[in-house]
Amino acid sequence: MSLLELTDIHFAYPNGHSALHGVSFALQEGEKVGLVGANSAGKSTLLLHCNGCLFPQQGEVVLAGESVKGTTLATVRKITGTVFQDTEDQLFMPTISDDIAFAPRNLGLSEDEVHKRVQQALEAVGATYLSERTPLQLSGGEKRLAAIATALSLEPRLLLLDEPSANLDPKARRRLINLLQKLPHTMLIASHDLDMIYDICPRTLVLANGTVQADAKTVDLFSDASSLDAWGLELPLRFQND
């Protein structure tokens, strides 16, 4: 059984913008899958369907055998960890430890268990030194690590990451890539950074105009310049001629 399965997903926003048109795909446990596409392709909208922030107007999202809907959100939110594009959406407490503890506390876990999860999450991202820092004191790379730690504190089976390398300097970006390569979680990573996707994800979905245009091995997709161009994308730097 797939960990995540989307079947014929359709969604339009209240202003009439139709964002998704018949999206279908599945993720197996342990897979790391890239989600790429030009601006307004529907990537962020799709991620928000995977964690129950949005619900399809047609079709079904199934996570770990549960249909994602209002009555199953408590279960869904224990299984998924989401890292939003803007870290300011996740880091809002006085200290990073408080931010990481926020979700476990809201699950009603004991303070001993909350403390354990905070420490484990910080250790997983190599950022125990951030524990008592305020988000305002952090660099962009440190904020990204802290945001990932907030997601890991839920001990999720599925990590959803929206543009995780955005606004990172080269060293922080490489540190992020190394971290995501090592984490054992099933991942769906939406990004314009095709070189990062190449390094992390053996499989990639291409989204264009709200539909899945391709679902294949990353190396095959990213070496096809003409197809990438048709989808509003460019070859990763490693495939570009000097």
Side-chain angles (χ1 to χ4, degrees):
M1 182 178 68
S2 302
L3 176 59
L4 175 69
E5 187 168 359
L6 284 75
T7 305
D8 194 30
I9 300 300
H10 293 254
F11 180 80
Y13 285 98
N15 65 3
H17 172 63
S18 185
L20 300 175
H21 317 281
V23 171
S24 298
F25 67 89
L27 267 63
Q28 304 304 312
E29 193 94 43
E31 273 197 296
K32 295 180 180 180
V33 178
L35 178 63
V36 303
N39 287 336
S40 301
K43 301 187 298 298
S44 295
T45 300
L46 183 53
L47 289 184
L48 293 174
H49 278 76
C50 298
N51 63 9
C53 286
L54 294 175
F55 299 110
Q57 289 146 354
Q58 179 181 322
E60 184 180 31
V61 179
V62 176
L63 181 62
E66 291 268 13
S67 181
V68 177
K69 51 190 177 183
T71 56
T72 62
L73 281 183
T75 300
V76 168
R77 300 285 165 77
K78 291 177 183 177
I79 296 173
T80 58
T82 304
V83 180
F84 296 98
Q85 181 174 353
D86 187 351
T87 56
E88 305 300 328
D89 292 335
Q90 286 184 263
L91 305 177
F92 53 86
M93 299 290 282
T95 69
I96 295 304
S97 286
D98 291 331
D99 273 313
I100 299 170
F102 183 82
R105 282 198 177 110
N106 276 275
L107 290 178
L109 301 180
S110 70
E111 280 304 304
D112 285 345
E113 179 65 19
V114 169
H115 178 73
K116 183 184 82 171
R117 291 201 182 193
V118 170
Q119 292 304 117
Q120 288 177 338
L122 284 169
E123 288 170 5
V125 301
T128 54
Y129 67 97
L130 297 179
S131 177
E132 299 309 312
R133 301 261 295 273
T134 174
L136 296 175
Q137 297 173 320
L138 306 189
S139 68
E142 288 171 333
K143 286 181 180 179
R144 192 68 61 187
L145 293 177
I148 294 172
T150 67
L152 293 179
S153 71
L154 290 167
E155 298 185 350
R157 293 170 63 183
L158 173 65
L159 275 179
L160 305 168
L161 300 106
D162 194 354
E163 300 289 356
S165 65
N167 302 317
L168 297 186
D169 63 42
K171 188 172 182 179
R173 175 182 172 277
R174 176 48 54 186
R175 185 179 180 186
L176 172 72
I177 290 171
N178 292 340
L179 169 64
L180 296 181
Q181 286 173 329
K182 292 175 183 176
L183 289 176
H185 302 73
T186 307
M187 296 182 192
L188 183 59
I189 306 174
S191 182
H192 289 107
D193 186 347
L194 270 59
D195 283 278
M196 180 197 68
I197 294 294
Y198 185 90
D199 284 340
I200 299 170
C201 304
R203 172 187 167 203
T204 294
L205 307 172
V206 179
L207 201 64
N209 299 316
T211 64
V212 175
Q213 301 290 319
D215 178 354
K217 291 181 179 179
T218 303
V219 64
D220 295 336
L221 287 174
F222 287 6
S223 57
D224 184 348
S226 60
S227 293
L228 289 175
D229 183 65
W231 297 321
L233 301 168
E234 289 188 340
L235 283 171
L237 291 175
R238 71 190 68 207
F239 290 123
Q240 294 183 17
N241 295 323
D242 294 334

